[in-house]
Amino acid sequence: SQQGEEDPQALSIQEGENATMNCSYKTSINNLQWYRQNSGRGLVHLILIRSNEREKHSGRLRVTLDTSKKSSSLLITASRAADTASYFCAAQRGAPDKLIFGTGTRLQVFP
Amino acid sequence: SQTIHQWPATLVQPVGSPLSLECTVEGTSNPNLYWYRQAAGRGLQLLFYSVGIGQISSEVPQNLSASRPQDRQFILSSKKLLLSDSGFYLCAWSEPGQGVYEQYFGPGTRLTVT
């Protein structure tokens, strides 16, 4: 069954604004990953945060992880129209690195 | 560099017909391989994963099966498709071992069962 739940399900913003997506999961994890999916395409890995990390940055992306609340957030700063896509969190536990995906947030960035 | 291929890209099959989707990875050895299904507007559900030739683990009971006849080849099959098998099927790979690794996804196969 799906372990992750994402909030909001859909988000519409203007270019230049920041977009924040939240993810909650149910059990202990080894790490949490965020992926992006353009419509009808495969997923692309964005960023990985380990269970002993609290915050990580990559370019315009900022990810936080709160293991006590079993939640993570993805912040995209200064959004662009090209950021329009669905974003999924994925909790990894066990071996090999099986990922349990959330339901995703559909982000629409208007130029 | 590593690449992952899936085919076909789209497939329309009648109920009760067989299915074979193929995934191949290039540029790496002994990868972990995964099959996922994505229902419309939903997240991904892990169907099968494999850590080596002939080693398949199933995550959910279903009408599908998987095989890994070669190191970098992963096949998803069904003897008789159901309407509920429709969806977007994604193959992925990750580095071997038990480290912390990202997964790399193929372009996917959109299956419509009619």
Side-chain angles (χ1 to χ4, degrees):
Chain A
S1 63
Q2 297 284 353
Q3 177 171 242
E5 295 291 334
E6 294 185 61
D7 167 54
Q9 291 186 343
L11 180 62
S12 295
I13 59 176
Q14 296 291 130
E15 264 190 329
E17 294 180 339
N18 296 340
T20 299
M21 290 160 265
N22 303 297
C23 167
S24 62
Y25 56 91
K26 296 178 181 177
T27 64
S28 61
I29 61 172
N30 295 343
N31 67 75
L32 191 130
Q33 304 180 27
W34 285 87
Y35 288 79
R36 164 191 169 131
Q37 183 181 35
N38 284 24
S39 180
R41 307 291 295 275
L43 277 71
V44 175
H45 181 265
L46 294 176
I47 194 166
L48 179 155
I49 185 165
R50 297 172 186 258
S51 59
N52 61 355
E53 297 177 313
R54 292 296 168 259
E55 187 172 313
K56 200 163 185 179
H57 297 254
S58 176
R60 294 185 295 114
L61 305 179
R62 172 179 171 251
V63 170
T64 62
L65 179 65
D66 187 334
T67 53
S68 66
K69 295 181 179 178
K70 292 186 170 56
S71 66
S72 174
S73 68
L74 172 67
L75 169 66
I76 303 175
T77 60
S79 63
R80 306 165 181 168
D83 293 329
T84 295
S86 291
Y87 292 81
F88 294 90
C89 68
Q92 189 267 323
R93 61 187 178 95
D97 43 313
K98 296 191 300 182
L99 295 178
I100 307 300
F101 281 84
T103 51
T105 293
R106 294 186 308 277
L107 174 65
Q108 175 85 49
V109 181
F110 292 99
Chain B
S1 63
Q2 301 92 351
T3 55
I4 178 169
H5 304 277
Q6 276 187 255
W7 65 92
T10 60
L11 191 59
V12 180
Q13 292 283 101
V15 168
S17 64
L19 172 74
S20 181
L21 303 181
E22 189 164 343
C23 170
T24 59
V25 181
E26 296 176 356
T28 186
S29 295
N30 196 31
N32 295 328
L33 296 171
Y34 310 84
W35 277 111
Y36 293 89
R37 176 169 58 203
Q38 184 177 31
R42 300 291 302 277
L44 277 69
Q45 180 184 38
L46 179 63
L47 302 176
F48 301 95
Y49 69 91
S50 171
V51 299
I53 295 174
Q55 301 179 61
I56 309 294
S57 295
S58 174
E59 286 297 293
V60 293
Q62 59 206 317
N63 186 43
L64 302 168
S65 62
S67 62
R68 184 170 177 173
Q70 299 180 47
D71 181 44
R72 290 168 289 175
Q73 183 185 30
F74 206 22
I75 296 172
L76 184 68
S77 304
S78 174
K79 292 181 179 178
K80 290 186 177 181
L81 283 168
L82 306 172
L83 285 174
S84 58
D85 292 323
S86 293
F88 192 48
Y89 288 83
L90 289 154
C91 180
W93 72 274
S94 68
E95 294 288 348
Q98 299 185 8
V100 177
Y101 300 119
E102 65 189 78
Q103 291 186 12
Y104 301 90
F105 284 81
T109 293
R110 187 161 302 283
L111 172 65
T112 303
V113 182
T114 60

